[in-house]
Amino acid sequence: MSILHISRLKTLLENQVFQYIDIEEIKVEKAKISDEELENIKLTQSYLLFALKNITGLDFSDLSNCIVDNFKDNGLDAILYSHNSNTLYICQSKFNKKGNCSFDKGETFKFLEGINDLLSLNFSKFNSKINSKINSIKKDIEFAINSPNIKIEVILVHSGNKLSDEIGKLIKDKIEALNDTDEVIFFEEYNLVKAYNNLKEAVNGEPINVDIDLFNWGINEEPFKAYYGMINCGSIAELAENNPKRLFSKNLRSFIGVNSINYEIVKSIINTPEHFFYLNNGIVLLCKEIKKSPYNSGKRDIGKFQLIDVSIINGAQTVGSIKHAFSKQPDKVNNANVFVKIISLENTPKDFDKHITITSNTQNRIEKRDFISLDDQQNRLINEFYLGNLNYHVKRDDLNETKDDNNYYFEEATISLAGFQDNLDFSTYAKREIGKLWEDEYYNVLFNSRLNITFLVNIIKVYREIDKYIKSLGDSDRYICSHGIYLISNLIYNNHKSILQNPNIDINNFIKSEFKEDIFRICHRIVHVYNSKFTQNKIPLSVFKNFKFCREIKDNVLELEGKINENSQPSLFD
């Protein structure tokens, strides 16, 4: 791209983004800064904010505090945690006015080292100034890194056209090492090509106008016009492919990727395309205007419509899954239809589009765990807890959890029972994908007619004490043990199986005596084994989701305990 493109981008940054840069902070750090150097820093930081706005969808005012550039930043220029997407963004940026800017090996190594320090919560590697910034978001960073479903985006922002192959390979190798077997960390390059496309979008606001065929359609004309019917999934895939961002611009979230739920949608459309219409809730489109063609006038079997400035406001996951399925098996997708509702904004009140977007995206969804409330064993447990003047909560609701001696919850019951199993894969699944434990193969092992509430209450209380103890540890140990809590619970439970299965046990005395002695020693050994076995290219977030690594750590801890793990055997998932 040319100097002309850089010049246009520079003008946009000066007019729209400069106001969000803290110039006084830069001057305090660099008291004798020249005007030229100050302008370069402002351009680099504003370019970074512009990139993050387009990547995250957040406003500039929400992003300005994430900049940590210019403070001996250990290679990191921005750190941002988004609660909405449960994503931690870690960025480095470079900008110059010639449009040939990229990264060299030294800068890249420094950036990768900074990422490793941040993910290890090793804040000592950052100087006092960046730590003062990090402290304001430290809780968010710790929460993000300790969250089981976190997504981490590593972003290089530069004003060149493309990273060199050498730099690209360095980053790819590092991220593969950090991810190990579980894909948590993703890389994105934000270059001048992407920036200029975003600039055109910001300046021109080009709408999506599309012609569609609607089958077996109907219309609702009052109080506002809306059409509904079936649309071919191949047409939806094409719409998504041609408009990857703007199509979802009014939706509360874009396609979040092929997670476990979206994978089921993909399987559904590929395996039984003829049933997809019946199995899926459908899509809601919003447009400024709907124009119906006179084609096939008077009949409802098929109609041709032109949608002006269309966007998806509900069903982003369905649309993204259809697009993904189309990339794999287009013939199957072309044989599927999906329900669609198309709402026109013609003659609607002010902000009606915002109201309908929020309303259609805040309805409760049904998850696998919601169906558990219908299970006979759960209903039996609810009754037995009630007879013991206790509460057992199975259904999800909008009430805050009150984890005390009177209230117990289905998810913590699942985790505790998983940890109690001899087969370590159960507790690893609790960390890796707890929903797997609610499938019949595993669920029936955990919840069956032999399960009594005295035993269940006791192991839940022990698990709560494990969690409480881990939260009292220092940063480094807490970071490791919070990810290893399911393995730790497995070790604790296995040390005291017969005691915990005794219906006459005094659980409070057990917690004050045997448990208190065990928890310190087990956590200390987990930390010792982790630090001695795993290099800086491994992070707890990935390690404790790995079946093989968890078995390895358990075997090493048992060796330190002077025990032999008689149950140790290769996992089915190694």
Side-chain angles (χ1 to χ4, degrees), residues 297-325:
S297 182
K299 297 181 181 179
R300 295 291 181 94
D301 57 330
I302 183 171
K304 292 185 176 293
F305 300 84
Q306 183 182 35
L307 311 183
I308 307 299
D309 196 3
V310 66
S311 62
I312 289 171
I313 61 167
N314 188 259
Q317 307 317 307
T318 292
V319 172
S321 299
I322 290 172
K323 177 187 170 187
H324 182 81

PDB file of all heavy atoms in Angstrom, residues 297-325:
ATOM      1  N   SER A 297     -46.089 -13.493  -8.023  1.00  0.00           N
ATOM      2  CA  SER A 297     -47.078 -12.697  -7.289  1.00  0.00           C
ATOM      3  C   SER A 297     -48.318 -13.515  -6.950  1.00  0.00           C
ATOM      4  O   SER A 297     -48.831 -14.281  -7.775  1.00  0.00           O
ATOM      5  CB  SER A 297     -47.468 -11.470  -8.122  1.00  0.00           C
ATOM      6  OG  SER A 297     -48.373 -10.667  -7.413  1.00  0.00           O
ATOM      7  N   GLY A 298     -48.814 -13.340  -5.742  1.00  0.00           N
ATOM      8  CA  GLY A 298     -50.024 -14.028  -5.304  1.00  0.00           C
ATOM      9  C   GLY A 298     -49.780 -15.405  -4.728  1.00  0.00           C
ATOM     10  O   GLY A 298     -50.702 -16.059  -4.250  1.00  0.00           O
ATOM     11  N   LYS A 299     -48.540 -15.892  -4.778  1.00  0.00           N
ATOM     12  CA  LYS A 299     -48.219 -17.212  -4.239  1.00  0.00           C
ATOM     13  C   LYS A 299     -47.207 -17.070  -3.109  1.00  0.00           C
ATOM     14  O   LYS A 299     -46.417 -16.130  -3.061  1.00  0.00           O
ATOM     15  CB  LYS A 299     -47.673 -18.120  -5.341  1.00  0.00           C
ATOM     16  CG  LYS A 299     -48.671 -18.392  -6.462  1.00  0.00           C
ATOM     17  CD  LYS A 299     -48.078 -19.305  -7.514  1.00  0.00           C
ATOM     18  CE  LYS A 299     -49.086 -19.548  -8.642  1.00  0.00           C
ATOM     19  NZ  LYS A 299     -48.506 -20.426  -9.695  1.00  0.00           N
ATOM     20  N   ARG A 300     -47.236 -18.047  -2.199  1.00  0.00           N
ATOM     21  CA  ARG A 300     -46.373 -17.971  -1.023  1.00  0.00           C
ATOM     22  C   ARG A 300     -45.284 -19.054  -1.007  1.00  0.00           C
ATOM     23  O   ARG A 300     -44.531 -19.130  -0.045  1.00  0.00           O
ATOM     24  CB  ARG A 300     -47.210 -18.100   0.260  1.00  0.00           C
ATOM     25  CG  ARG A 300     -48.198 -16.949   0.483  1.00  0.00           C
ATOM     26  CD  ARG A 300     -47.468 -15.643   0.810  1.00  0.00           C
ATOM     27  NE  ARG A 300     -48.379 -14.549   1.047  1.00  0.00           N
ATOM     28  CZ  ARG A 300     -48.827 -14.186   2.247  1.00  0.00           C
ATOM     29  NH1 ARG A 300     -48.489 -14.872   3.318  1.00  0.00           N
ATOM     30  NH2 ARG A 300     -49.629 -13.147   2.373  1.00  0.00           N
ATOM     31  N   ASP A 301     -45.234 -19.906  -2.043  1.00  0.00           N
ATOM     32  CA  ASP A 301     -44.248 -20.977  -2.019  1.00  0.00           C
ATOM     33  C   ASP A 301     -42.828 -20.442  -2.153  1.00  0.00           C
ATOM     34  O   ASP A 301     -41.881 -20.989  -1.593  1.00  0.00           O
ATOM     35  CB  ASP A 301     -44.531 -22.023  -3.099  1.00  0.00           C
ATOM     36  CG  ASP A 301     -44.579 -21.416  -4.498  1.00  0.00           C
ATOM     37  OD1 ASP A 301     -44.956 -20.237  -4.619  1.00  0.00           O
ATOM     38  OD2 ASP A 301     -44.233 -22.139  -5.460  1.00  0.00           O
ATOM     39  N   ILE A 302     -42.680 -19.357  -2.928  1.00  0.00           N
ATOM     40  CA  ILE A 302     -41.372 -18.730  -3.065  1.00  0.00           C
ATOM     41  C   ILE A 302     -41.561 -17.251  -3.362  1.00  0.00           C
ATOM     42  O   ILE A 302     -42.456 -16.869  -4.132  1.00  0.00           O
ATOM     43  CB  ILE A 302     -40.516 -19.407  -4.167  1.00  0.00           C
ATOM     44  CG1 ILE A 302     -39.127 -18.750  -4.220  1.00  0.00           C
ATOM     45  CG2 ILE A 302     -41.196 -19.380  -5.506  1.00  0.00           C
ATOM     46  CD1 ILE A 302     -38.146 -19.479  -5.127  1.00  0.00           C
ATOM     47  N   GLY A 303     -40.741 -16.427  -2.740  1.00  0.00           N
ATOM     48  CA  GLY A 303     -40.773 -14.995  -2.997  1.00  0.00           C
ATOM     49  C   GLY A 303     -39.363 -14.457  -3.090  1.00  0.00           C
ATOM     50  O   GLY A 303     -38.445 -14.961  -2.432  1.00  0.00           O
ATOM     51  N   LYS A 304     -39.177 -13.427  -3.913  1.00  0.00           N
ATOM     52  CA  LYS A 304     -37.861 -12.799  -4.055  1.00  0.00           C
ATOM     53  C   LYS A 304     -37.898 -11.432  -3.381  1.00  0.00           C
ATOM     54  O   LYS A 304     -38.807 -10.638  -3.622  1.00  0.00           O
ATOM     55  CB  LYS A 304     -37.475 -12.667  -5.527  1.00  0.00           C
ATOM     56  CG  LYS A 304     -37.221 -14.023  -6.201  1.00  0.00           C
ATOM     57  CD  LYS A 304     -36.728 -13.840  -7.626  1.00  0.00           C
ATOM     58  CE  LYS A 304     -36.379 -15.174  -8.272  1.00  0.00           C
ATOM     59  NZ  LYS A 304     -35.209 -15.831  -7.636  1.00  0.00           N
ATOM     60  N   PHE A 305     -36.905 -11.165  -2.536  1.00  0.00           N
ATOM     61  CA  PHE A 305     -36.877  -9.938  -1.737  1.00  0.00           C
ATOM     62  C   PHE A 305     -35.496  -9.290  -1.823  1.00  0.00           C
ATOM     63  O   PHE A 305     -34.476  -9.980  -1.898  1.00  0.00           O
ATOM     64  CB  PHE A 305     -37.181 -10.247  -0.263  1.00  0.00           C
ATOM     65  CG  PHE A 305     -38.528 -10.867  -0.034  1.00  0.00           C
ATOM     66  CD1 PHE A 305     -38.714 -12.236  -0.168  1.00  0.00           C
ATOM     67  CD2 PHE A 305     -39.622 -10.085   0.315  1.00  0.00           C
ATOM     68  CE1 PHE A 305     -39.954 -12.824   0.042  1.00  0.00           C
ATOM     69  CE2 PHE A 305     -40.873 -10.655   0.526  1.00  0.00           C
ATOM     70  CZ  PHE A 305     -41.031 -12.028   0.388  1.00  0.00           C
ATOM     71  N   GLN A 306     -35.511  -7.966  -1.808  1.00  0.00           N
ATOM     72  CA  GLN A 306     -34.260  -7.227  -1.683  1.00  0.00           C
ATOM     73  C   GLN A 306     -34.222  -6.608  -0.290  1.00  0.00           C
ATOM     74  O   GLN A 306     -35.157  -5.896   0.109  1.00  0.00           O
ATOM     75  CB  GLN A 306     -34.124  -6.129  -2.745  1.00  0.00           C
ATOM     76  CG  GLN A 306     -32.777  -5.408  -2.660  1.00  0.00           C
ATOM     77  CD  GLN A 306     -32.635  -4.287  -3.677  1.00  0.00           C
ATOM     78  OE1 GLN A 306     -33.608  -3.606  -3.985  1.00  0.00           O
ATOM     79  NE2 GLN A 306     -31.427  -4.101  -4.193  1.00  0.00           N
ATOM     80  N   LEU A 307     -33.138  -6.879   0.447  1.00  0.00           N
ATOM     81  CA  LEU A 307     -32.971  -6.364   1.811  1.00  0.00           C
ATOM     82  C   LEU A 307     -31.942  -5.243   1.771  1.00  0.00           C
ATOM     83  O   LEU A 307     -30.807  -5.430   1.304  1.00  0.00           O
ATOM     84  CB  LEU A 307     -32.511  -7.474   2.755  1.00  0.00           C
ATOM     85  CG  LEU A 307     -33.313  -8.791   2.709  1.00  0.00           C
ATOM     86  CD1 LEU A 307     -32.787  -9.768   3.744  1.00  0.00           C
ATOM     87  CD2 LEU A 307     -34.794  -8.531   2.913  1.00  0.00           C
ATOM     88  N   ILE A 308     -32.326  -4.071   2.249  1.00  0.00           N
ATOM     89  CA  ILE A 308     -31.464  -2.897   2.224  1.00  0.00           C
ATOM     90  C   ILE A 308     -30.835  -2.699   3.599  1.00  0.00           C
ATOM     91  O   ILE A 308     -31.532  -2.605   4.605  1.00  0.00           O
ATOM     92  CB  ILE A 308     -32.253  -1.632   1.823  1.00  0.00           C
ATOM     93  CG1 ILE A 308     -33.005  -1.853   0.508  1.00  0.00           C
ATOM     94  CG2 ILE A 308     -31.326  -0.417   1.747  1.00  0.00           C
ATOM     95  CD1 ILE A 308     -32.114  -2.159  -0.669  1.00  0.00           C
ATOM     96  N   ASP A 309     -29.494  -2.621   3.623  1.00  0.00           N
ATOM     97  CA  ASP A 309     -28.718  -2.419   4.859  1.00  0.00           C
ATOM     98  C   ASP A 309     -29.095  -3.471   5.907  1.00  0.00           C
ATOM     99  O   ASP A 309     -29.592  -3.167   6.985  1.00  0.00           O
ATOM    100  CB  ASP A 309     -28.944  -1.014   5.410  1.00  0.00           C
ATOM    101  CG  ASP A 309     -27.884  -0.622   6.447  1.00  0.00           C
ATOM    102  OD1 ASP A 309     -26.963  -1.426   6.682  1.00  0.00           O
ATOM    103  OD2 ASP A 309     -28.005   0.474   7.023  1.00  0.00           O
ATOM    104  N   VAL A 310     -28.825  -4.719   5.562  1.00  0.00           N
ATOM    105  CA  VAL A 310     -29.235  -5.834   6.408  1.00  0.00           C
ATOM    106  C   VAL A 310     -28.150  -6.196   7.417  1.00  0.00           C
ATOM    107  O   VAL A 310     -26.951  -6.035   7.149  1.00  0.00           O
ATOM    108  CB  VAL A 310     -29.595  -7.069   5.536  1.00  0.00           C
ATOM    109  CG1 VAL A 310     -28.369  -7.605   4.822  1.00  0.00           C
ATOM    110  CG2 VAL A 310     -30.230  -8.158   6.382  1.00  0.00           C
ATOM    111  N   SER A 311     -28.557  -6.661   8.573  1.00  0.00           N
ATOM    112  CA  SER A 311     -27.624  -7.191   9.571  1.00  0.00           C
ATOM    113  C   SER A 311     -28.333  -8.286  10.356  1.00  0.00           C
ATOM    114  O   SER A 311     -29.558  -8.350  10.398  1.00  0.00           O
ATOM    115  CB  SER A 311     -27.124  -6.091  10.512  1.00  0.00           C
ATOM    116  OG  SER A 311     -28.202  -5.528  11.237  1.00  0.00           O
ATOM    117  N   ILE A 312     -27.539  -9.138  10.975  1.00  0.00           N
ATOM    118  CA  ILE A 312     -28.084 -10.213  11.815  1.00  0.00           C
ATOM    119  C   ILE A 312     -28.105  -9.729  13.257  1.00  0.00           C
ATOM    120  O   ILE A 312     -27.087  -9.263  13.783  1.00  0.00           O
ATOM    121  CB  ILE A 312     -27.228 -11.484  11.686  1.00  0.00           C
ATOM    122  CG1 ILE A 312     -27.438 -12.102  10.303  1.00  0.00           C
ATOM    123  CG2 ILE A 312     -27.565 -12.498  12.773  1.00  0.00           C
ATOM    124  CD1 ILE A 312     -26.506 -13.227   9.994  1.00  0.00           C
ATOM    125  N   ILE A 313     -29.269  -9.816  13.901  1.00  0.00           N
ATOM    126  CA  ILE A 313     -29.345  -9.391  15.300  1.00  0.00           C
ATOM    127  C   ILE A 313     -29.574 -10.558  16.252  1.00  0.00           C
ATOM    128  O   ILE A 313     -29.471 -10.405  17.466  1.00  0.00           O
ATOM    129  CB  ILE A 313     -30.446  -8.323  15.507  1.00  0.00           C
ATOM    130  CG1 ILE A 313     -31.817  -8.885  15.146  1.00  0.00           C
ATOM    131  CG2 ILE A 313     -30.123  -7.062  14.730  1.00  0.00           C
ATOM    132  CD1 ILE A 313     -32.958  -8.009  15.631  1.00  0.00           C
ATOM    133  N   ASN A 314     -29.872 -11.727  15.715  1.00  0.00           N
ATOM    134  CA  ASN A 314     -29.978 -12.918  16.545  1.00  0.00           C
ATOM    135  C   ASN A 314     -29.716 -14.141  15.671  1.00  0.00           C
ATOM    136  O   ASN A 314     -30.231 -14.233  14.562  1.00  0.00           O
ATOM    137  CB  ASN A 314     -31.368 -13.031  17.176  1.00  0.00           C
ATOM    138  CG  ASN A 314     -31.436 -14.156  18.196  1.00  0.00           C
ATOM    139  OD1 ASN A 314     -31.936 -15.232  17.896  1.00  0.00           O
ATOM    140  ND2 ASN A 314     -30.929 -13.910  19.381  1.00  0.00           N
ATOM    141  N   GLY A 315     -28.902 -15.061  16.176  1.00  0.00           N
ATOM    142  CA  GLY A 315     -28.556 -16.254  15.409  1.00  0.00           C
ATOM    143  C   GLY A 315     -27.159 -16.207  14.837  1.00  0.00           C
ATOM    144  O   GLY A 315     -26.844 -16.938  13.893  1.00  0.00           O
ATOM    145  N   ALA A 316     -26.289 -15.374  15.416  1.00  0.00           N
ATOM    146  CA  ALA A 316     -24.918 -15.278  14.905  1.00  0.00           C
ATOM    147  C   ALA A 316     -24.202 -16.621  14.975  1.00  0.00           C
ATOM    148  O   ALA A 316     -23.422 -16.974  14.081  1.00  0.00           O
ATOM    149  CB  ALA A 316     -24.136 -14.225  15.696  1.00  0.00           C
ATOM    150  N   GLN A 317     -24.468 -17.387  16.034  1.00  0.00           N
ATOM    151  CA  GLN A 317     -23.797 -18.686  16.168  1.00  0.00           C
ATOM    152  C   GLN A 317     -24.306 -19.673  15.118  1.00  0.00           C
ATOM    153  O   GLN A 317     -23.545 -20.486  14.595  1.00  0.00           O
ATOM    154  CB  GLN A 317     -23.983 -19.230  17.583  1.00  0.00           C
ATOM    155  CG  GLN A 317     -23.570 -18.270  18.692  1.00  0.00           C
ATOM    156  CD  GLN A 317     -22.263 -17.556  18.417  1.00  0.00           C
ATOM    157  OE1 GLN A 317     -21.247 -18.187  18.126  1.00  0.00           O
ATOM    158  NE2 GLN A 317     -22.278 -16.233  18.493  1.00  0.00           N
ATOM    159  N   THR A 318     -25.606 -19.594  14.821  1.00  0.00           N
ATOM    160  CA  THR A 318     -26.163 -20.443  13.761  1.00  0.00           C
ATOM    161  C   THR A 318     -25.543 -20.084  12.410  1.00  0.00           C
ATOM    162  O   THR A 318     -25.115 -20.957  11.650  1.00  0.00           O
ATOM    163  CB  THR A 318     -27.689 -20.284  13.686  1.00  0.00           C
ATOM    164  OG1 THR A 318     -28.265 -20.833  14.871  1.00  0.00           O
ATOM    165  CG2 THR A 318     -28.273 -20.987  12.479  1.00  0.00           C
ATOM    166  N   VAL A 319     -25.468 -18.788  12.112  1.00  0.00           N
ATOM    167  CA  VAL A 319     -24.918 -18.340  10.829  1.00  0.00           C
ATOM    168  C   VAL A 319     -23.450 -18.728  10.704  1.00  0.00           C
ATOM    169  O   VAL A 319     -23.011 -19.251   9.673  1.00  0.00           O
ATOM    170  CB  VAL A 319     -25.092 -16.817  10.668  1.00  0.00           C
ATOM    171  CG1 VAL A 319     -24.346 -16.317   9.433  1.00  0.00           C
ATOM    172  CG2 VAL A 319     -26.561 -16.458  10.571  1.00  0.00           C
ATOM    173  N   GLY A 320     -22.669 -18.476  11.776  1.00  0.00           N
ATOM    174  CA  GLY A 320     -21.250 -18.843  11.751  1.00  0.00           C
ATOM    175  C   GLY A 320     -21.050 -20.341  11.586  1.00  0.00           C
ATOM    176  O   GLY A 320     -20.135 -20.789  10.881  1.00  0.00           O
ATOM    177  N   SER A 321     -21.902 -21.128  12.234  1.00  0.00           N
ATOM    178  CA  SER A 321     -21.807 -22.589  12.127  1.00  0.00           C
ATOM    179  C   SER A 321     -22.172 -23.062  10.730  1.00  0.00           C
ATOM    180  O   SER A 321     -21.560 -24.005  10.192  1.00  0.00           O
ATOM    181  CB  SER A 321     -22.716 -23.244  13.173  1.00  0.00           C
ATOM    182  OG  SER A 321     -22.330 -22.886  14.492  1.00  0.00           O
ATOM    183  N   ILE A 322     -23.190 -22.440  10.124  1.00  0.00           N
ATOM    184  CA  ILE A 322     -23.560 -22.769   8.737  1.00  0.00           C
ATOM    185  C   ILE A 322     -22.386 -22.470   7.798  1.00  0.00           C
ATOM    186  O   ILE A 322     -22.046 -23.280   6.928  1.00  0.00           O
ATOM    187  CB  ILE A 322     -24.817 -21.986   8.312  1.00  0.00           C
ATOM    188  CG1 ILE A 322     -26.059 -22.511   9.044  1.00  0.00           C
ATOM    189  CG2 ILE A 322     -25.017 -22.056   6.802  1.00  0.00           C
ATOM    190  CD1 ILE A 322     -27.300 -21.666   8.836  1.00  0.00           C
ATOM    191  N   LYS A 323     -21.764 -21.320   7.997  1.00  0.00           N
ATOM    192  CA  LYS A 323     -20.609 -20.949   7.163  1.00  0.00           C
ATOM    193  C   LYS A 323     -19.478 -21.960   7.327  1.00  0.00           C
ATOM    194  O   LYS A 323     -18.842 -22.388   6.351  1.00  0.00           O
ATOM    195  CB  LYS A 323     -20.128 -19.550   7.541  1.00  0.00           C
ATOM    196  CG  LYS A 323     -18.884 -19.095   6.790  1.00  0.00           C
ATOM    197  CD  LYS A 323     -18.379 -17.773   7.346  1.00  0.00           C
ATOM    198  CE  LYS A 323     -17.006 -17.432   6.784  1.00  0.00           C
ATOM    199  NZ  LYS A 323     -16.420 -16.243   7.422  1.00  0.00           N
ATOM    200  N   HIS A 324     -19.219 -22.359   8.581  1.00  0.00           N
ATOM    201  CA  HIS A 324     -18.150 -23.341   8.839  1.00  0.00           C
ATOM    202  C   HIS A 324     -18.483 -24.677   8.179  1.00  0.00           C
ATOM    203  O   HIS A 324     -17.624 -25.300   7.548  1.00  0.00           O
ATOM    204  CB  HIS A 324     -17.972 -23.523  10.343  1.00  0.00           C
ATOM    205  CG  HIS A 324     -16.879 -24.475  10.705  1.00  0.00           C
ATOM    206  ND1 HIS A 324     -15.544 -24.115  10.722  1.00  0.00           N
ATOM    207  CD2 HIS A 324     -16.918 -25.798  11.033  1.00  0.00           C
ATOM    208  CE1 HIS A 324     -14.811 -25.170  11.055  1.00  0.00           C
ATOM    209  NE2 HIS A 324     -15.617 -26.198  11.252  1.00  0.00           N
ATOM    210  N   ALA A 325     -19.728 -25.117   8.327  1.00  0.00           N
ATOM    211  CA  ALA A 325     -20.150 -26.383   7.718  1.00  0.00           C
ATOM    212  C   ALA A 325     -20.027 -26.316   6.194  1.00  0.00           C
ATOM    213  O   ALA A 325     -19.618 -27.283   5.546  1.00  0.00           O
ATOM    214  CB  ALA A 325     -21.586 -26.712   8.125  1.00  0.00           C
TER     215      ALA A 325
END
